[in-house]
Amino acid sequence: MKKGKKSEIKKLKVKTHKNLLLVKSESEEDKNKLEIIRDILINDENKDKADLHNYFLNNKGEAIFKHLPFFDIYERHFSKYRGKDINMMEIGVGSGGAVKMWREYFKNNNSEAKVNIYAIDKNPKCKQFEQDNIKIFIGSQDNRDFLKEVKSQIPKLDILIDDGGHRMQQQIITFEEMYGHIKDDGIYLCEDVYTSYWDNFGGGYKNPNSYIEYTKNLIDSLNAYWSTEEDDLYPNEFTESTYSIHYYDAVVVIEKKKRDTRYNDICQQAIIGKTKE
C-alpha cells in the first residue's frame, strides 16, 4: 500500500471527538444535521438490515452516542440473537439511551424473548436508568475485585460490549476478567480502540501496552496449534474457546466457539473426491 503525500495525510492534533454532530431538537439546523447522518448511515447495501440505524436516527429519549460505522458491525454480529433469550452487558452507560436501544432491538420481533441487559458505569447517577430487565452496576472496570463480584451476580453473557473509559488498562483488565464469562458461542466487542494510538490514554503507535498490540498477540494464540517445536507458542484457554477475531475501524470483535476435540485428535484436514495417481 502506497503512503500518501505528507501534505495529504490528516492526523488528529488534539485527542478529542472528531467530526461530531449533535442533534437534540426539532430545529431546522438539527433536522439538516439528521439528514446528513441518515445519508451517511443508511445506504443501498444495508437499508434492509437497518433497524438499529433507524432506532438511533429516530431516538427522542435519552441520548445515544455512537460512531456511525458501528451500526453495520452490530448488525453483522448481533442479528442472530434477535428474538431469542439473551444476556448482554455494556460497559459505559453514558446518558442511558444505549441500554434501552439494546432491549428494544433484541425484543423487536419476539416480545416473549427474555432479554436481560446488564451495564457497568463508574458514575452513580447512571443507576437512574435501571428498569425491568436492565440492571446497572456502579464501579470501575479496571477493578478486578469489582468485576469478579459482578460476575458472581449475573449469568454468563451472550454479548459484552466494552464502551467504557477506553484506557489501555481498563480495556485489557476487562477482557482478562470478563472473556471467560462469555458463553461458548458468545461475542466480545471492544469499541473506540483508536485510543490505542493516543499517548494520553496509555497507548501510542506500536506501544506494546496498548489494547491493539495486546489483541495482536491473541492472533498468535488463536493459531497456536500450528506452531512448531521451535516456537515459544502453545495452545491455551483462548485457543480452545475462540473462533475468530475481527478488526474494524475502531472496533475489535472476538467470537467464541469451543473447539471440537476431534480437530486435533483425529482430523484437522481432509481430502474428499478423486485425486491424481
Side-chain angles (χ1 to χ4, degrees), residues 198-261:
W198 295 358
D199 294 340
N200 60 339
F201 274 70
Y205 178 57
K206 294 296 185 182
N207 183 336
N209 297 315
S210 76
Y211 183 76
I212 283 290
E213 294 300 316
Y214 177 90
T215 60
K216 288 178 183 178
N217 291 324
L218 296 178
I219 298 173
D220 292 327
S221 294
L222 182 65
N223 292 281
Y225 280 122
W226 300 101
S227 61
T228 65
E229 292 180 357
E230 292 77 20
D231 299 326
D232 185 21
L233 176 63
Y234 301 91
N236 55 26
E237 187 175 348
F238 184 84
T239 314
E240 296 286 355
S241 63
T242 305
Y243 178 66
S244 64
I245 305 173
H246 303 256
Y247 286 86
Y248 302 93
D249 180 11
V251 173
V252 176
V253 180
I254 303 175
E255 294 182 310
K256 295 189 75 171
K257 181 190 287 186
K258 278 287 186 184
R259 298 257 186 169
D260 187 325
T261 57

Side-chain angles (χ1 to χ4, degrees), residues 79-243:
S79 60
K80 66 180 181 180
Y81 295 102
R82 299 193 73 184
K84 299 179 181 179
D85 294 349
I86 182 175
N87 300 315
M88 177 185 181
M89 170 172 280
E90 182 160 27
I91 298 175
V93 176
S95 299
V99 289
K100 295 180 180 179
M101 176 180 72
W102 296 125
R103 183 180 61 184
E104 295 307 312
Y105 173 72
F106 289 111
K107 288 181 72 72
N108 182 260
N109 59 356
N110 181 9
S111 60
E112 300 301 315
K114 188 175 182 180
V115 177
N116 295 314
I117 307 295
Y118 304 96
I120 290 175
D121 203 287
K122 64 181 181 180
N123 184 353
K125 292 182 179 179
C126 289
K127 268 288 190 180
Q128 67 181 295
F129 302 120
E130 281 194 334
Q131 295 182 1
D132 291 342
N133 301 109
I134 297 178
K135 171 70 175 175
I136 296 174
F137 298 89
I138 304 301
S140 178
Q141 71 178 108
D142 58 3
N143 183 324
R144 292 183 185 273
D145 290 337
F146 167 69
L147 293 179
K148 286 182 171 66
E149 177 60 25
V150 170
K151 286 188 291 185
S152 73
Q153 297 185 43
I154 65 174
K156 282 210 166 186
L157 301 167
D158 296 279
I159 297 172
L160 186 147
I161 298 174
D162 181 356
D163 185 22
H166 311 317
R167 297 185 178 277
M168 301 306 99
Q169 186 180 27
Q170 293 172 319
Q171 291 175 333
I172 292 172
I173 287 177
T174 300
F175 174 80
E176 290 178 347
E177 291 295 331
M178 298 302 295
Y179 190 66
H181 204 68
I182 307 298
K183 291 181 182 179
D184 290 342
D185 60 347
I187 291 174
Y188 189 101
L189 186 151
C190 187
E191 297 183 359
D192 301 343
V193 296
Y194 48 73
T195 55
S196 282
Y197 302 95
W198 295 358
D199 294 340
N200 60 339
F201 274 70
Y205 178 57
K206 294 296 185 182
N207 183 336
N209 297 315
S210 76
Y211 183 76
I212 283 290
E213 294 300 316
Y214 177 90
T215 60
K216 288 178 183 178
N217 291 324
L218 296 178
I219 298 173
D220 292 327
S221 294
L222 182 65
N223 292 281
Y225 280 122
W226 300 101
S227 61
T228 65
E229 292 180 357
E230 292 77 20
D231 299 326
D232 185 21
L233 176 63
Y234 301 91
N236 55 26
E237 187 175 348
F238 184 84
T239 314
E240 296 286 355
S241 63
T242 305
Y243 178 66

